[in-house]
Amino acid sequence: MLAALKDISLHRQVFALALPMVLSNITVPLLGLVDVAVIGHLEHAWYLGGVAVGGTMISVTFWLLGFLRMATTGLCAQAYGASNRSSQATVLLQGIALAWGLAALLILSHGLIADAVFSVSDASDAVKTYADQYYSIRIWGAPAALANFVIMGWLLGSQNARLPMWLLIITNSINILLDVLFVLGLGWQVAGAAAASVIAEYSGMILGLYFVACQWKRLNLPPWRSQLNKVGQGMGRLLRLNRDIFLRSLCLQLAFSFMTFQGASLGDNVVAANAVLMSFLMLVSYGMDGFAYAMEAMVGKAIGARNREALSRTLISTTFWSVVIAVLMTLAFALFGDAIIALISDIPAVQREASRYLPWLAAVPLVAMWCFLLDGIFIGATRGREMRNSMFIATCCFFLIWLLLSPFGNHALWAAMLGFLAIRGLSLAAIFAYQWQKNIFLEEACSNK
């Protein structure tokens, strides 16, 4: 362990993969802020409401299909570690084919999806009209958006985090500039915001394919046309892995959505306070995600090379820095939480309400870091079944904790969320410890066909 902690080159490798992803993640909330700002300057509130509802529909849909990135990262990293150039090429082509197939389904069924969502929504007719307009335009960006998941995952699996960073930063920057031009400059209102995102997504895909071509040449991979006949080979494994990660993501979305909607039933001040604290939780996820991405790429590489020592050193170094970051976040929330809340909201009632639940949030980084790290390990090992099962157990425990503590109101929700994060980490840690002790983790991961 000490040897790994003293290895400066290993720490550099971790940060070379983690920091670019943390930096690129910062552009995501910035884009959302600009969307709200430009639409918020229009004359009617229903424009902003329409973008909020339509944007949520798109975000949830695309987020649930984020398995395309995760599965591609793990499979590509293993192929990279095994120096299997043919598999590296095939993983990308399989991922793109699956992404475009799913995008076609979304486009064909988007009308049915919109009707189903609006039928259970209490939004006004004006908000529904503009939400439908926004969603109907944004859905045409699905082929590019889903392909970008695969491209990012493939580049990261190839041990290159700088190119995905620039891909995200440039794509989101284009989106921001076009937002301002189309909405404020040309007066296209909601349609302008949607069109800006679609153009940015296709611009990102073109740039991403250029990055792929550069990486393809650098790795000396075989011509892509020669790999087309291999796209069907191993597709079953890819589909099973994606299925398991999708079900895991669905459970995760269920828990977070329940947190939001149940909080809304406890009063306006509570839902506003939870919104403030949940923004802190997203900050934690952006910070920890970078190290989870590093773990995915490095674990997959070590497993592909069947190098137990490299895998062990990866676990030690990445865990060390994750603990450091988690401790710093916890101290920041504990010492400066009230000041940060005051920066987000100047409403005294909301500030008081958020401060009541701040201790729950201060504990989140130290608890949640294990979820992110272990997710990274199992994604790198392409073991979706364990991730799915542990998430199912954690989700059941989330609702059980909430039911048992529901008389305590919002404290019950935060206790359930903390328990949810803890059980996710503990269950995956137990599985990993067992497989590591039995010396089967490496072999099972490599032979998981």
Side-chain angles (χ1 to χ4, degrees):
M1 180 180 290
L2 288 177
L5 292 177
K6 291 179 180 178
D7 189 342
I8 302 300
S9 64
L10 185 61
H11 293 308
R12 286 175 179 166
Q13 185 180 359
V14 171
F15 275 91
L17 290 168
L19 280 184
M21 301 313 299
V22 173
L23 292 173
S24 58
N25 279 344
I26 294 172
T27 65
V28 177
L30 178 61
L31 173 60
L33 182 63
V34 172
D35 261 346
V36 170
V38 295
I39 297 297
H41 278 83
L42 299 179
E43 64 270 23
H44 298 297
W46 56 65
Y47 294 130
L48 185 56
V51 169
V53 174
T56 299
M57 292 165 64
I58 285 290
S59 296
V60 170
T61 300
F62 288 174
W63 186 83
L64 287 173
L65 300 178
F67 56 73
L68 290 164
R69 186 208 62 78
M70 298 182 214
T72 303
T73 298
L75 293 170
C76 181
Q78 289 186 18
Y80 182 92
S83 298
N84 189 332
R85 293 185 177 90
S86 178
S87 290
Q88 282 180 264
T90 303
V91 164
L92 175 69
L93 297 176
Q94 287 178 330
I96 294 290
L98 181 58
W100 285 345
L102 290 171
L105 288 176
L106 286 177
I107 291 172
L108 290 173
S109 61
H110 81 273
L112 295 174
I113 295 172
D115 290 343
V117 172
F118 296 143
S119 68
V120 297
S121 173
D122 294 328
S124 68
D125 290 340
V127 167
K128 289 180 180 178
T129 296
Y130 286 105
D132 185 52
Q133 182 185 79
Y134 183 88
Y135 179 72
S136 297
I137 295 172
R138 278 292 310 273
I139 201 67
W140 289 97
L146 300 188
N148 286 339
F149 285 157
V150 176
I151 290 168
M152 284 186 58
W154 187 84
L155 291 170
L156 189 60
S158 298
Q159 312 299 299
N160 189 325
R162 287 185 299 120
L163 292 181
M165 175 190 73
W166 286 115
L167 179 59
L168 269 177
I169 291 175
I170 293 173
T171 301
N172 287 334
S173 297
I174 291 172
N175 200 338
I176 289 170
L177 292 174
L178 292 179
D179 254 349
V180 175
L181 174 63
F182 291 168
V183 179
L184 300 183
L186 300 178
W188 291 357
Q189 300 176 337
V190 171
S197 295
V198 172
I199 293 172
E201 283 159 352
Y202 279 100
S203 300
M205 185 181 71
I206 293 169
L207 179 63
L209 291 174
Y210 170 74
F211 286 162
V212 164
C214 294
Q215 186 79 345
W216 197 288
K217 183 177 180 180
R218 188 181 72 82
L219 297 175
N220 194 28
L221 301 185
W224 65 270
R225 290 184 181 85
S226 68
Q227 302 300 304
L228 288 177
N229 62 335
K230 298 181 180 179
V231 170
Q233 298 175 14
M235 184 62 85
R237 180 191 181 192
L238 177 62
L239 292 174
R240 287 193 299 273
L241 178 58
N242 282 326
R243 175 203 63 196
D244 291 336
I245 299 177
F246 168 77
L247 293 173
R248 165 232 179 235
S249 299
L250 195 62
C251 288
L252 184 63
Q253 186 65 41
L254 179 63
F256 276 89
S257 297
F258 183 84
M259 181 91 177
T260 299
F261 288 111
Q262 186 61 33
S265 70
L266 298 175
D268 291 348
N269 288 336
V270 169
V271 72
N274 280 355
V276 172
L277 297 178
M278 289 297 281
S279 68
F280 290 176
L281 185 57
M282 294 307 296
L283 181 64
V284 172
S285 71
Y286 290 140
M288 300 307 301
D289 255 347
F291 291 92
Y293 289 160
M295 184 73 89
E296 293 172 23
M298 295 173 70
V299 165
K301 178 184 175 183
I303 287 177
R306 295 181 181 265
N307 190 330
R308 183 181 175 89
E309 181 183 355
L311 178 58
S312 177
R313 290 160 67 83
T314 292
L315 300 178
I316 292 169
S317 60
T318 310
T319 301
F320 170 77
W321 284 110
S322 296
V323 170
V324 170
I325 299 299
V327 169
L328 291 176
M329 285 184 172
T330 292
L331 289 175
F333 290 148
L335 298 176
F336 309 111
D338 288 329
I340 301 173
I341 289 171
L343 288 175
I344 297 177
S345 175
D346 57 2
I347 303 172
V350 173
Q351 291 177 355
R352 288 193 299 270
E353 199 70 28
S355 294
R356 288 181 60 194
Y357 308 107
L358 190 58
W360 290 109
L361 186 76
V364 164
L366 288 174
V367 175
M369 59 159 283
W370 303 106
C371 308
F372 287 99
L373 280 179
L374 286 156
D375 273 354
I377 292 172
F378 281 87
I379 288 171
T382 60
R383 297 191 65 81
R385 184 179 64 242
E386 286 83 351
M387 295 174 64
R388 178 201 65 197
N389 293 344
S390 68
M391 184 65 79
F392 179 75
I393 293 169
T395 303
C396 291
C397 291
F398 170 85
F399 286 105
L400 179 61
I401 293 170
W402 175 77
L403 283 171
L404 292 175
L405 301 179
S406 56
F408 295 97
N410 202 41
H411 284 292
L413 279 176
W414 280 100
M417 178 55 66
L418 204 65
F420 171 74
L421 296 171
I423 292 165
R424 277 179 61 198
L426 287 171
S427 57
L428 283 176
I431 295 169
F432 174 77
Y434 172 80
Q435 294 182 350
W436 186 268
Q437 184 181 18
K438 296 293 184 180
N439 201 30
I440 58 176
F441 179 80
L442 203 64
E443 291 301 319
E444 283 197 1
C446 291
S447 61
N448 185 28
K449 303 292 185 183

